[in-house]
Each structure stands twice: as C-alpha cells, then as structure tokens.
Amino acid sequence: MPCLRELYVDHNLLSQLPNSLGSLQNLEILSIANNNIATLKPSVAQLKALRVLNISHNEFVQLPACLGLLVETLQLLVVDGNPLDRAHQSLVEPLLTPKQTGPNPRMTRTHTYSLQTKEYVSGIKRFMRWKRHSTSNYPTLLTVDTKRDSINFAATWKSHPPAKIGEAEMSLTTAVLPMEQEDAGQSSSSSTSRKSCLFSSSSGTDLIRHMTSSVLWQLRDEWDLDPAHGDATRELLGMHTEKYSSVRESTALDHAYHAKAATAGNSQRMKILSELLVTEVTYVDTLKNVVGVYLNPMREAKILSESELRKIFLNIEVILAFHNDHFLPAITHAISQPEMLIADVFLRHSAHFRLYSVYTNGHETSVQTLFRVSSRRTVSNFIQSARQDVTQIGQVSLDGHLLTPIQRLPRYRMLLADLLHNTPANHTDHESLVAALKSLDSIIYEVNEKKREFEQQTRLRQLQSSILGAAEIPLVAPHRRFCLAGALYLKQHCKMVVRKNNVVKFKRASPNCNFWFCLFNDLLLQCVAGVNKDFKIVDTHKLDTCIAPARIISDTEMRIIGSDTVLYIKEDPDTLRKWAHAINHRLVI
C-alpha cells in the first residue's frame, strides 16, 4: 500500500476517508467522486506526492481548508457537482463554473461549462479520462466549438456503463480526444475549426496549474488564518522567543580558554600588563583634560547651559572619578606585587563598568548637540582656544576625546584575552582571568544591548510622532523593536472577519496599489501618506501566528501571514528577498 500511486474509490457511498490515507506517501492520483463525503481530514495534507484530486459530486458545502497545504504539488483539483455555499462557489468559479441546461444537473444528459478563453478551454480539456466502475453515468466525449462567440464545451453522458471496465488513463502532458463533425456536409474549412488535439499546448497546461494554484492558495489563507491551527504555532513562537531572550552573543572566550599557552613566559605577561597600566594612565589623563580644559571652564563661564553640558559630556565626571580614585590605583598596586594578580582587580570592579551604558546610550545625542552649539561664535572660539593648548589637550578635537570612553571596554577585553593566552594553565591567576574575561564579556554585551534598546526606543518615538494612529497602539513599548520600512505593492489580501454568533467569514480584496509598510518584531503596519503627519495607519497586522510568516511563492510575489490577514506582495526579486529575510528573522535582528 505505501507504494500505491493511483486510488479510485468513486461510487462507494463513502461518508469519510480514514486517517490512514495520509500514509500513502507515493499517491499521485486520488478520485473520490460520487460519494457522500462532506469534509476531508487534515491527514490528506500528508499526501506530498498528490498531483490530481477529484472530489466532484460529493456533499462539500465548503472546500476543506487543509487542501491549501497541497499547493506545492497538486496540479489539478476537480470540484464540480458539490453543493458549495456562495463564498466557495465564487472561489472555484475561475476554475470551472457549471451552467445547468435542465432542471437537475445530475439528471440531464449534457452539462455545459461556460469558460472565458480559448486557452482555458484548451487547458481544461487535457486533464483526464477516468476509470469508471459503477452504474452511474460517466463522460465519454468532450467537444469544443471554436466558431461560436461564447466558447463552450459539452460533456456527453451515456446512460449505461460499458460491460467491461477499461484501464484508467491519465496524462498530464498530452491527451488527444476524438472529435466529431456536427454535419456530414460540413466543409473542410469549418472542420478545421474543431480541434482534435486540445492538450498539446503548454499554455493550456500552465493555465490549468495557475488556476488550481490560485484556488489552493486561497484555501491556504483560510487554513493559516484559522485560530485553531495557530495555537500550536503561537506556543512554539513563545518558546522560540524565550529561548532567544536567554541567549547571549557568542564571544571568543571559548577560543581563548582552550588556547592556553603553557609555555608562555613572564616576559610576555609583563609586556601586556605594562601596556594595560600605560594605557590606563593615558586614559585617565584624557578624561582629566576633557573635564579640566572644556567642561569646568564652560560651566564657570556659562558658555553653555547646564542642560547642554549634560547632553554633551554626559556622566564623564563619574567615569573619571571611578578610574582616577579606584581602578587605576588598584591596577598599579596589583602590578607592583610579585605574582601580578590583575584578574581580581577586574572582578572586584566589574559592576562599575556599567557606568559606560549611560555614556554609550547618549553618545549620539552628545555628538549632535556639540555640532549644533558649535555654530555659536562664543562656543567655537572657546573650543579653538582650548585646542591651541598643546601641552594639555593635544591636537585631537573635542568630539574625538568624547569618543575615547566608547572604546575603553573593548580595549580591556582585548588586553585580558591576550593576557589569558600568554598565562600558563598552572599559573595562580589563570582561573581568575577566565572568570574576569567572562564577566567583562557579559558587561560589554549588556552595554551593547542597552545601547540598542535605547536606539530602538528613540526610533519608536520618532515613528510614533510621524505616523497618525501609532499612539493608539501604542507603538512605543519595551519589547518592540523596529526592523524595516519601505513602500510595497499590495496585490491582494484575505482578511478573516468574525461576525455575530462567532461565524467566521473570509473577505478578499485586490487593492493593486502601493502602501508604506513598517516592520517590527511583533507587527507589520500598513500605512498611506498622511496630511498633517507623514503617514496614516490603514491596518495593523500582528505577526504572532508563525515564526516565519513570509514566503516567496514566485519570482515576483511574496505571501505574508498575519494573525487575521494574509497579504500578497508583488515586487522585484531583490526587494522580496530583503523583506522576506527581515520578516522571518525579526526575532533575532
């Protein structure tokens, strides 16, 4: 049974299919026509090789949404003869729309299907000649009249089945159907208008697959938007987020830990420790000069207001006090000892390194404020005068000196890693150096994270002030991070609407216009150009049902799954790849 490739269970009065059907992994053709089946179990989606599915003449009021999971493989879906509701009848209408020629379509001998184009007729006629094995009527001849303005084809049904069942035939590449002339006296020129080969055209094949794919994608929308199918995904998403929040950036600590230089001599260690001490003295002198040459004179002369001074110099006075009064004396004392146990100095003072978080967060504002106030003549004259004092401040500009604290923690890490690399494993300070390097890595990561969070919150406040309706969300939230923004062409969308008595309906529309989208780690804003503000929110799409809600389904089309809406975006391949990557990696950006 696992090797079964074709299964025909027509005319068996079946009301349901077993769950074990999903185990037929090689099944390519499944026909369950003319039964009493009203729904399909989700196990049908496990038929990953299925290419043709015939569910015609059953009791389906709605097409099973699980069929949308077969959109990658299913090439032909036959659904006619089911009592579909209005929404699903409209859904399958582009694929095949039956038009009755009598009071009851199951009692008449001829059904006429009105189609839109010759290409579609050519495509639809190539699909199958089915095996039949019951007393019900079955089609034996399909004809097309290309002379008429409205292109129709008729399926002629015999009232009695053949005595012997022939082998089923199915061709997805070529099918030649017999054609008959309506009149024996028909001219040869008119007979050429009735084509004998309807399936040799690749355009017809492509059109059939396109129409089937269109229906399946819409069913996939209904499946993905169903809250019952999203609960497990949301739980998985929560686990993923929790896991991510507990992960810290990988560092070179493992490499440094395993790269123990057992043969390293004290001379190399002494060289590194000497560099640490010299650079610390130089760093403290730089801070003293910034405070003594710039900050205090500006404060005393009232060249700048206290608010402007705080924005420019931030907490540099606190950092200077820590290094000058505590850290530099501790380093000097440790290096003066015979064993030179420097790691303990870093471990005891590691908590004070968090002072750099405030300075790092405000550095960008510091640079902008300094640039703005430098346009004042009194300020520019003072800065030029201070730079001429070469003996104290040197030729480095003020903004260059203000950058020095940003570079200090990475410099400490580089020196500690180098020191660990040149410290033998049996040295007294080796284990403490491993701990000190690990502690410093953690603090640097924390400072960088707070810097990123600060920048994110600043960006969120800017966006909230420029987007009408963002304050009602509100856009500024501790957990929210901005990822990407830009204009995208929205081809169509499917929105789930819950009406009275919890009745769920799906509303589809084709805007076919550009919108401005703003992506965050938890939602996607759809905006248009505003009047008083830059943009106005049209819709808010929460991205909490899938870890990877974006998928490129063709060279120029992308599908995005929100909590209640599925969007179809049409753009060039590079833009689609950029947005798909940003959406699917929004939790780790």
Side-chain angles (χ1 to χ4, degrees):
M1 289 296 288
C3 297
L4 189 65
R5 299 182 64 180
E6 300 183 12
L7 178 60
Y8 305 89
V9 290
D10 304 349
H11 302 284
N12 278 290
L13 300 178
L14 298 176
S15 59
Q16 62 180 357
L17 297 178
N19 280 326
S20 57
L21 182 69
S23 63
L24 302 178
Q25 295 298 307
N26 294 310
L27 191 65
E28 297 181 4
I29 300 174
L30 174 61
S31 177
I32 57 172
N34 292 280
N35 283 290
N36 299 321
I37 300 174
T39 185
L40 293 177
K41 296 181 179 180
S43 60
V44 72
Q46 299 174 5
L47 302 175
K48 299 303 182 182
L50 193 65
R51 297 185 297 125
V52 178
L53 176 61
N54 182 6
I55 61 172
S56 62
H57 299 290
N58 276 282
E59 302 299 328
F60 290 99
V61 177
Q62 295 182 340
L63 291 181
C66 61
L67 293 181
L69 300 174
L70 297 172
V71 67
E72 297 293 337
T73 57
L74 196 61
Q75 299 177 6
L76 179 63
L77 176 64
V78 185
V79 298
D80 56 287
N82 284 287
L84 297 173
D85 61 16
R86 181 181 299 178
H88 282 246
Q89 185 68 33
S90 175
L91 176 66
V92 301
E93 185 175 1
L95 187 61
L96 189 64
T97 304
K99 183 186 297 183
Q100 296 186 18
T101 59
N104 189 333
R106 295 195 177 188
M107 298 297 293
T108 56
R109 292 178 176 268
T110 303
H111 296 173
T112 302
Y113 296 84
S114 178
L115 303 170
Q116 304 299 322
T117 63
K118 293 181 180 180
E119 289 80 5
Y120 187 52
V121 173
S122 177
I124 197 65
K125 302 300 295 182
R126 60 172 293 279
F127 72 94
M128 64 166 68
R129 290 200 297 269
W130 288 100
K131 175 198 281 187
R132 301 291 173 177
H133 52 81
S134 72
T135 58
S136 299
N137 296 338
Y138 67 103
T140 60
L141 181 63
L142 298 176
T143 62
V144 175
D145 189 346
T146 60
K147 294 188 300 180
R148 300 178 182 178
D149 294 334
S150 60
I151 302 173
N152 301 319
F153 74 86
T156 304
W157 302 76
K158 287 187 176 180
S159 300
H160 303 286
K164 184 178 180 180
I165 300 173
E167 293 186 355
E169 296 184 21
M170 169 63 66
S171 173
L172 293 177
T173 56
T174 303
V176 180
L177 302 180
M179 311 299 292
E180 297 177 357
Q181 295 184 0
E182 292 180 356
D183 192 339
Q186 192 175 17
S187 64
S188 59
S189 60
S190 63
S191 65
T192 58
S193 66
R194 302 179 59 83
K195 302 179 181 180
S196 62
C197 180
L198 299 173
F199 293 101
S200 59
S201 172
S202 61
S203 62
T205 303
D206 293 340
L207 184 59
I208 288 293
R209 292 178 179 177
H210 172 74
M211 301 305 295
T212 301
S213 176
S214 176
V215 173
L216 293 177
W217 275 121
Q218 294 183 69
L219 293 177
R220 181 65 179 267
D221 293 343
E222 297 182 9
W223 175 270
D224 289 335
L225 293 175
D226 190 337
H229 304 145
D231 290 341
T233 308
R234 289 190 184 96
E235 293 178 5
L236 180 60
L237 181 63
M239 293 172 58
H240 177 84
T241 306
E242 180 181 357
K243 179 180 179 181
Y244 168 70
S245 63
S246 63
V247 173
R248 294 292 179 262
E249 280 187 346
S250 61
T251 66
L253 176 61
D254 293 337
H255 300 286
Y257 182 82
H258 294 291
K260 301 173 182 179
T263 60
N266 288 333
S267 59
Q268 187 65 20
R269 275 179 48 84
M270 188 62 198
K271 181 179 178 181
I272 298 171
L273 291 172
S274 176
E275 182 181 356
L276 173 62
L277 179 59
V278 170
T279 56
E280 186 66 18
V281 172
T282 303
Y283 177 60
V284 171
D285 287 342
T286 300
L287 297 181
K288 285 181 178 180
N289 288 329
V290 171
V291 174
V293 176
Y294 287 103
L295 176 56
N296 289 337
M298 281 183 172
R299 180 178 288 152
E300 293 172 0
K302 296 184 178 180
I303 296 176
L304 293 173
S305 66
E306 191 63 31
S307 175
E308 290 172 329
L309 289 174
R310 283 197 300 269
K311 288 182 179 178
I312 294 174
F313 296 98
L314 302 165
N315 63 336
I316 197 169
E317 293 175 292
V318 179
I319 294 175
L320 172 60
F322 161 65
H323 283 272
N324 185 63
D325 300 341
H326 301 280
F327 198 59
L328 178 57
I331 290 178
T332 304
H333 176 73
I335 293 178
S336 65
Q337 300 301 311
E339 294 184 347
M340 296 181 289
L341 304 179
I342 198 67
D344 186 58
V345 176
F346 280 88
L347 289 173
R348 285 188 286 109
H349 295 88
S350 60
H352 294 86
F353 291 142
R354 292 184 172 87
L355 292 169
Y356 285 88
S357 181
V358 176
Y359 192 91
T360 304
N361 292 344
H363 179 66
E364 185 176 352
T365 303
S366 171
V367 174
Q368 294 172 354
T369 305
L370 178 61
F371 177 78
R372 186 179 69 252
V373 301
S374 295
S375 61
R376 304 174 192 173
R377 179 175 299 180
T378 55
V379 176
S380 61
N381 289 341
F382 178 86
I383 293 177
Q384 290 295 329
S385 176
R387 289 191 63 179
Q388 292 176 2
D389 191 353
V390 180
T391 58
Q392 293 192 55
I393 201 67
Q395 294 299 321
V396 181
S397 62
L398 175 57
D399 55 346
H401 285 293
L402 293 175
L403 183 63
T404 305
I406 302 294
Q407 302 168 336
R408 193 57 188 164
L409 290 186
R411 183 67 177 273
Y412 285 146
R413 199 214 173 278
M414 182 187 70
L415 290 171
L416 281 183
D418 198 13
L419 186 62
L420 178 61
H421 181 75
N422 290 279
T423 300
N426 58 357
H427 194 281
T428 308
D429 206 27
H430 186 274
E431 292 185 3
S432 297
L433 279 173
V434 173
L437 187 58
K438 185 176 181 179
S439 175
L440 186 59
D441 279 337
S442 177
I443 291 173
I444 292 175
Y445 175 82
E446 181 180 334
V447 170
N448 290 337
E449 281 297 295
K450 288 185 177 180
K451 167 66 173 174
R452 187 166 69 170
E453 291 174 5
F454 179 81
E455 292 175 344
Q456 284 287 345
Q457 292 301 308
T458 302
R459 182 63 184 273
L460 290 176
R461 285 191 290 269
Q462 294 172 348
L463 288 171
Q464 183 165 289
S465 63
S466 63
I467 300 176
L468 182 63
E472 285 74 19
I473 295 178
L475 198 59
V476 179
H479 70 279
R480 185 162 292 126
R481 299 192 309 277
F482 169 79
C483 300
L484 185 63
L488 294 174
Y489 188 84
L490 181 59
K491 180 181 178 182
Q492 61 182 356
H493 64 77
C494 175
K495 190 175 185 66
M496 180 178 65
V497 180
V498 181
R499 298 181 178 176
K500 295 181 179 179
N501 300 323
N502 293 325
V503 176
V504 177
K505 297 293 183 180
F506 296 93
K507 183 179 179 181
R508 294 178 173 85
S510 300
N512 287 314
C513 61
N514 281 306
F515 289 90
W516 189 78
F517 287 90
C518 193
L519 173 65
F520 302 88
N521 61 316
D522 61 337
L523 56 85
L524 179 67
L525 294 185
Q526 180 182 343
C527 308
V528 294
V531 179
N532 297 325
K533 293 194 175 184
D534 295 339
F535 298 100
K536 177 183 177 181
I537 295 179
V538 175
D539 206 346
T540 301
H541 309 291
K542 294 183 179 180
L543 304 177
D544 59 353
T545 57
C546 298
I547 295 175
R551 182 178 183 181
I552 298 176
I553 60 178
S554 70
D555 291 341
T556 59
E557 194 168 354
M558 174 176 63
R559 182 173 180 266
I560 305 173
I561 305 172
S563 60
D564 61 355
T565 308
V566 176
L567 306 174
Y568 288 85
I569 304 297
K570 186 177 181 180
E571 284 290 345
D572 61 90
D574 291 338
T575 301
L576 293 184
R577 283 193 293 268
K578 180 178 72 173
W579 273 88
H581 182 272
I583 293 173
N584 294 336
H585 293 79
R586 69 196 183 282
L587 298 177
V588 295
I589 290 178

